[in-house]
Amino acid sequence: MSQSINDLEHDIEQTRARLDRTIDQIQGRLSPASIVDEMLGTARQTPAMAGLYDGALAAVRRNPVPVMLIVAGVGWLVHRVARESERRRELDATMAGAESVPVLNTGTARVYDPDRPTAHPAADRVADSLRM
């Protein structure tokens, strides 16, 4: 009986070791560098993409500074778009809350009429008092 328990413990240890190796392999494949390498390798193996890949790589090697500037510009653009999107979401949330706020109407709102001359109430009152 003790032999069978030892055998089971040994089998469990081997299974754990295999599981640890499998997890390490999966983590290695899911690292960002590994994913990029796999994508580039797949693109290079495709005949239609191989020429494009090689041409792009040669252009980057010949002109690294412009490529870095382009990448930085695209990154900045993506950052700005994301920030503007977040700002709009916050504004929408604020406006949704503002719709429930009561508004006091004092009757002092003025309507602009382009055909009427501009009225200056204070100046008109002074002119009226001088005419008297």
Side-chain angles (χ1 to χ4, degrees), residues 11-87:
D11 288 344
I12 290 172
E13 287 176 18
Q14 287 180 343
T15 303
R16 282 185 185 158
R18 282 194 309 266
L19 185 58
D20 286 341
R21 284 191 302 270
T22 303
I23 289 173
D24 289 341
Q25 289 174 349
I26 291 172
Q27 286 177 339
R29 286 185 175 177
L30 294 179
S31 71
S34 177
I35 290 172
V36 169
D37 286 344
E38 188 173 325
M39 286 174 32
L40 292 177
T42 302
R44 198 161 197 195
Q45 290 174 358
T46 306
M49 297 295 288
L52 179 66
Y53 173 79
D54 290 337
L57 188 59
V60 169
R61 286 183 180 154
R62 282 191 313 266
N63 307 303
V65 174
V67 170
M68 288 186 337
L69 291 174
I70 290 169
V71 169
V74 169
W76 177 74
L77 178 65
V78 168
H79 171 72
R80 291 285 303 232
V81 168
R83 194 170 73 185
E84 183 65 27
S85 174
E86 180 64 28
R87 187 178 300 148

